[in-house]
Amino acid sequence: MNRVYNFAAGPSAMPEAALRQAAQEMLDFNGSGMSVMEMSHRSKAYQDIFDETEALLRELMHIPDTYSVLFLQGGATGQFAAIPMNLLREGGSADYVDSGNFAHGAMVEAKKYGDIRCVASSKDENYIRIPALDKAAFNPEADYFYITTNNTIFGTRYPELPETGDVPLVADMSSNILSEVFDINRFGVAYAGAQKNVGPAGLTLVIVRRDLLGRARSICPKVMNWTVMTEKGSMLNTPPTYAIYMAGLCMKWLKAQGGVEGIEQVNLEKSKLLYDVLDASDFYRAPVVPAYRSRMNVTFTTPSPELDAAFVKAAAGEGLVSLKGHRLVGGIRASIYNAMPIEGVRKLAEFMKKFEMENR
Amino acid sequence: MNRVYNFAAGPSAMPEAALRQAAQEMLDFNGSGMSVMEMSHRSKAYQDIFDETEALLRELMHIPDTYSVLFLQGGATGQFAAIPMNLLREGGSADYVDSGNFAHGAMVEAKKYGDIRCVASSKDENYIRIPALDKAAFNPEADYFYITTNNTIFGTRYPELPETGDVPLVADMSSNILSEVFDINRFGVAYAGAQKNVGPAGLTLVIVRRDLLGRARSICPKVMNWTVMTEKGSMLNTPPTYAIYMAGLCMKWLKAQGGVEGIEQVNLEKSKLLYDVLDASDFYRAPVVPAYRSRMNVTFTTPSPELDAAFVKAAAGEGLVSLKGHRLVGGIRASIYNAMPIEGVRKLAEFMKKFEMENR
């Protein structure tokens, strides 16, 4: 077996320790005589796994009991619809910041359910920065204010969260949840598709301040209704049981790395390794305005699309895979989520220098 | 390792061969150097897995190209809302048959979106049969006609499908899909949560006749929109990649058992083993009217709730687990989906006889 360094943007690399434990327990979890995949979600054995996973997430993110933690399905894209159906009052309005492809998609989907205002956009700059936010443009009566804390495709990140006063901040954190310390109390709702920093695809985390429950529209499908799902402990219907178990194994690994506080330092170091190579080079171009650089998704180009393709191919030959940029922007993207070891990033940094020398 | 016989109603037993292969490939799928769980859903390696799984399902169920096959999230309960949002025209109406708890739940959810008529119900008989259907009560102008082919909690099954003429038949097949031969051409939409007869929880199959696409309401969330999902090959957003892979492994196993045609004979034999014990006994009581007996979920009671509990406990001691009936009906339920080996059912039948002798 020869494991590669997988720089995919999601689904993406997972901790090897979690995968090893999953493989070992696949036919017999903890003497139960069955796989976690085969367990009734109503069994005590499974409820224990579920409860432990929720407790770990609360511990890692310091989530107080004033927030409900939900393990749902449908991905962030499902939440694009769920958010207005759970929060937008009849005749109400919400503010959105258009900082990238998924932020834009969230806004378009929300418009199906009510009055959605775009308070800032960096679309005309091809999303190379988080747009400047003018507080005077915020609607103080908005039902919520929507942001995307990290933009996976373009490789940008909010250096600080907007101040929205009494308007609840709703954040898609799919690509940087658990990667750095956030004060959860700043958010009305924080949510994430699991497949980047949490666990496997098919699981969606929604962390919602309890005072925001009870507002869901009558047209909201039950499986998307945060109030119903809170009452049912995420088990109105069968949850994605195995994905939750895997997320728990990944969180145990994260805790052993010193938790979010510990991994944040590693992530800073990892991203610095790559940005240092980019900044020292006149061969590579890093399009993102430095103040908004993502720590999770490092985007860059070589002098030509042909060289970009040659880079991706040659890197794969050295076990550095899935480095092709998103089709919307081209170029190269190195996604270096929590589970990417620093050794993999070092190897990529060395490869970048070598490739530059050979192709300048 | 000591595997048990797991009679859970879902999530439930899976083929040991599928679990073994998954364990073996967990850290390195087919020389890729990564787990299937870590693969980008946009990679060729993953698309090959996805395409192979769809092809297997089409082969096993003889699904022609006039049907779209979707791999979605949210469970059958998600489809309870998706169905009216995809099929019910503005001002339109649909007919529902109330044959059990999930049929009833589907009807209640659908009422949020339009005019839903209950054409027959066996609720007053505690759902011990499929209700008699009077074709004169069917609305020939209905947008669709809704049934649940097998009722997991009560242990009933439609012995034949209703004739609905030009009105598309929509069927929740969660608990008997792939267990017996169905003519897919009888259905407008056939759908199922995967966690009983297909694969792990967190995956929902929707098989929809293509001429029914294009009707979705504007309020339908994109992730629930069958038309959008058909255009995007189920990948509008990240699908539950690992659950789809596991479903593929289970389908490969099913094909090796002679496909649906082969497993149907085994399932008939398995259910007969248990019903024969019940019919020969004046100790056990099988509440379901014989003509409507499920081949997947065999429900029965002993003379008292105390003995029911003693049965479940003693059976577990012999490696026959998860036999407790659903809380709505109590008693005992043996779910014997495709992956339950006939040896497990034989062992349960022997245990039933022994328990009767010792407790009559």
Side-chain angles (χ1 to χ4, degrees):
Chain A
M1 194 191 64
N2 207 1
R3 297 264 299 164
V4 293
Y5 289 115
N6 175 10
F7 293 90
S12 49
M14 294 177 71
E16 199 172 306
L19 293 171
R20 281 192 192 284
Q21 188 170 345
Q24 201 184 334
E25 296 176 341
M26 183 62 87
L27 281 99
D28 183 9
F29 175 79
N30 201 17
S32 65
M34 65 177 83
S35 176
V36 172
M37 235 180 258
E38 303 178 292
M39 282 184 184
S40 168
H41 59 300
R42 305 290 183 198
S43 66
K44 185 180 177 310
Y46 185 73
Q47 189 68 52
D48 288 348
I49 293 171
F50 183 95
D51 291 344
E52 189 183 3
T53 306
E54 179 179 338
L56 265 167
L57 184 67
R58 285 187 181 274
E59 182 185 344
L60 288 164
M61 290 183 70
H62 310 290
I63 305 171
D65 195 49
T66 46
Y67 286 79
S68 169
V69 169
L70 301 173
F71 293 87
L72 305 179
Q73 299 182 56
T77 307
Q79 293 304 313
F80 293 174
I83 288 160
M85 284 197 280
N86 277 280
L87 293 180
L88 203 56
R89 298 171 204 261
E90 290 290 345
S93 175
D95 285 351
Y96 276 65
V97 178
D98 175 20
S99 61
N101 187 57
F102 294 110
H104 194 264
M107 190 167 64
V108 170
E109 182 78 344
K111 283 181 178 170
K112 288 160 42 173
Y113 307 100
D115 178 37
I116 301 297
R117 292 172 62 246
C118 179
V119 294
S121 174
S122 49
K123 190 164 201 248
D124 290 345
E125 299 169 84
N126 203 26
Y127 296 124
I128 57 165
R129 50 170 291 162
I130 303 294
L133 297 180
D134 175 7
K135 276 184 80 165
F138 298 4
N139 172 10
E141 305 296 320
D143 287 329
Y144 60 94
F145 189 102
Y146 185 98
I147 63 167
T148 311
T149 52
N150 186 83
N151 297 279
T152 321
I153 294 176
F154 303 92
T156 63
R157 163 187 174 273
Y158 277 78
E160 54 193 29
L161 299 175
E163 291 287 350
T164 60
D166 289 341
V167 176
L169 185 63
V170 174
D172 178 354
M173 303 179 67
S174 294
S175 50
N176 70 345
I177 193 170
L178 292 173
S179 75
E180 61 176 290
V181 175
F182 285 98
D183 176 4
I184 191 70
N185 298 294
R186 294 286 306 276
F187 300 94
V189 180
Y191 78 99
Q195 68 273 13
K196 298 168 195 295
N197 253 333
V198 180
L203 170 64
T204 316
L205 300 183
V206 179
I207 304 159
V208 52
R209 220 173 60 208
R210 292 187 195 272
D211 66 290
L212 298 174
L213 298 174
R215 296 188 188 184
R217 297 268 187 91
S218 61
I219 57 160
C220 183
K222 266 189 175 182
V223 296
M224 289 186 166
N225 186 315
W226 302 335
T227 309
V228 170
M229 279 297 196
T230 296
E231 285 161 4
K232 298 287 189 183
S234 299
M235 294 201 204
L236 164 73
N237 62 335
T238 314
T241 51
Y242 196 75
I244 293 168
Y245 154 77
M246 283 302 311
L249 294 184
C250 294
M251 288 181 210
K252 275 181 210 171
W253 170 86
L254 179 53
K255 190 176 168 181
Q257 311 308 305
V260 176
E261 288 78 4
I263 210 81
E264 177 171 15
Q265 297 311 311
V266 181
N267 287 334
L268 277 168
E269 198 179 340
K270 278 155 56 182
S271 55
K272 188 171 184 301
L273 279 169
L274 300 185
Y275 288 121
D276 281 354
V277 174
L278 294 172
D279 288 340
S281 163
D282 52 9
F283 175 81
Y284 296 111
R285 194 179 147 266
V288 170
V289 176
Y292 305 101
R293 281 175 171 173
S294 170
R295 301 171 185 175
M296 295 286 104
N297 313 97
V298 179
T299 52
F300 55 99
T301 58
T302 67
S304 74
E306 293 69 30
L307 274 173
D308 290 347
F311 180 102
V312 170
K313 192 174 172 191
E318 306 215 5
L320 306 164
V321 309
S322 308
L323 281 160
K324 193 176 169 188
H326 190 277
R327 63 188 156 71
L328 289 179
V329 289
I332 297 154
R333 173 175 55 178
S335 294
I336 49 175
Y337 302 118
N338 287 354
M340 170 58 65
I342 196 163
E343 296 72 30
V345 180
R346 280 206 193 99
K347 198 172 165 191
L348 175 58
E350 289 312 308
F351 175 82
M352 288 166 71
K353 289 186 236 173
K354 190 181 75 159
F355 189 85
E356 176 175 352
M357 289 222 294
E358 291 170 1
N359 293 277
R360 75 159 83 235
Chain B
M1 195 192 63
N2 208 0
R3 295 265 300 165
V4 294
Y5 289 115
N6 174 11
F7 293 90
S12 49
M14 292 176 73
E16 199 173 304
L19 294 171
R20 280 192 193 285
Q21 188 171 345
Q24 200 185 335
E25 295 175 341
M26 182 62 87
L27 281 98
D28 183 9
F29 174 79
N30 201 19
S32 65
M34 64 177 84
S35 176
V36 172
M37 236 179 257
E38 303 178 291
M39 280 182 186
S40 168
H41 59 300
R42 305 289 182 198
S43 65
K44 184 180 178 311
Y46 185 73
Q47 188 69 51
D48 287 349
I49 294 171
F50 183 96
D51 291 344
E52 188 182 3
T53 305
E54 179 180 335
L56 265 167
L57 183 67
R58 286 187 180 272
E59 180 184 345
L60 288 165
M61 291 184 70
H62 310 291
I63 304 170
D65 195 50
T66 46
Y67 286 78
S68 168
V69 169
L70 301 174
F71 293 86
L72 305 180
Q73 299 182 55
T77 307
Q79 293 304 314
F80 293 175
I83 288 160
M85 284 196 280
N86 277 280
L87 292 181
L88 203 57
R89 298 171 205 261
E90 289 291 345
S93 175
D95 285 352
Y96 276 66
V97 178
D98 175 21
S99 61
N101 188 58
F102 294 110
H104 194 264
M107 192 167 63
V108 169
E109 182 78 344
K111 283 181 177 169
K112 288 159 44 172
Y113 307 100
D115 178 37
I116 302 297
R117 293 171 63 245
C118 179
V119 294
S121 174
S122 48
K123 189 164 201 249
D124 291 346
E125 300 169 84
N126 203 24
Y127 297 123
I128 58 165
R129 52 169 291 164
I130 302 295
L133 297 180
D134 175 9
K135 275 184 81 165
F138 299 3
N139 173 8
E141 306 295 320
D143 287 328
Y144 61 93
F145 189 102
Y146 184 97
I147 64 166
T148 311
T149 52
N150 185 84
N151 297 279
T152 321
I153 293 176
F154 302 93
T156 62
R157 164 187 172 272
Y158 277 77
E160 53 194 30
L161 299 175
E163 292 286 351
T164 59
D166 288 341
V167 176
L169 186 63
V170 175
D172 178 355
M173 303 180 67
S174 295
S175 51
N176 70 347
I177 192 170
L178 292 174
S179 74
E180 60 175 292
V181 175
F182 285 98
D183 177 3
I184 191 69
N185 298 294
R186 294 287 305 277
F187 300 94
V189 179
Y191 78 98
Q195 68 273 13
K196 300 169 196 294
N197 254 332
V198 180
L203 170 64
T204 316
L205 300 183
V206 179
I207 303 159
V208 52
R209 222 173 58 209
R210 292 187 195 273
D211 66 289
L212 298 172
L213 298 173
R215 296 188 188 183
R217 296 268 189 90
S218 61
I219 57 160
C220 183
K222 265 190 175 182
V223 296
M224 290 186 165
N225 186 316
W226 302 335
T227 309
V228 170
M229 279 297 197
T230 296
E231 286 162 5
K232 297 287 188 181
S234 297
M235 294 201 203
L236 165 73
N237 62 334
T238 314
T241 50
Y242 196 76
I244 293 168
Y245 154 77
M246 283 303 310
L249 294 184
C250 294
M251 288 181 210
K252 275 181 210 171
W253 170 86
L254 179 53
K255 189 175 169 182
Q257 311 308 304
V260 176
E261 288 78 3
I263 210 81
E264 177 171 14
Q265 297 310 311
V266 181
N267 287 334
L268 277 168
E269 198 179 341
K270 278 156 55 181
S271 55
K272 187 172 185 302
L273 279 169
L274 300 185
Y275 287 121
D276 281 353
V277 174
L278 294 172
D279 288 340
S281 163
D282 51 10
F283 176 81
Y284 295 111
R285 192 178 148 268
V288 170
V289 176
Y292 304 101
R293 282 175 170 172
S294 170
R295 301 171 184 175
M296 295 286 104
N297 314 97
V298 179
T299 53
F300 56 99
T301 58
T302 68
S304 74
E306 293 71 28
L307 274 173
D308 290 346
F311 179 102
V312 170
K313 193 175 170 189
E318 306 215 6
L320 305 163
V321 309
S322 309
L323 280 159
K324 193 176 170 190
H326 191 276
R327 62 188 157 71
L328 288 178
V329 290
I332 296 152
R333 173 176 53 177
S335 294
I336 50 174
Y337 301 117
N338 287 352
M340 169 59 65
I342 195 161
E343 295 73 30
V345 180
R346 281 206 191 96
K347 199 172 165 192
L348 175 59
E350 289 312 309
F351 175 82
M352 287 166 71
K353 289 186 234 173
K354 191 182 74 155
F355 188 85
E356 176 174 352
M357 289 223 293
E358 291 170 1
N359 293 277
R360 75 158 82 235

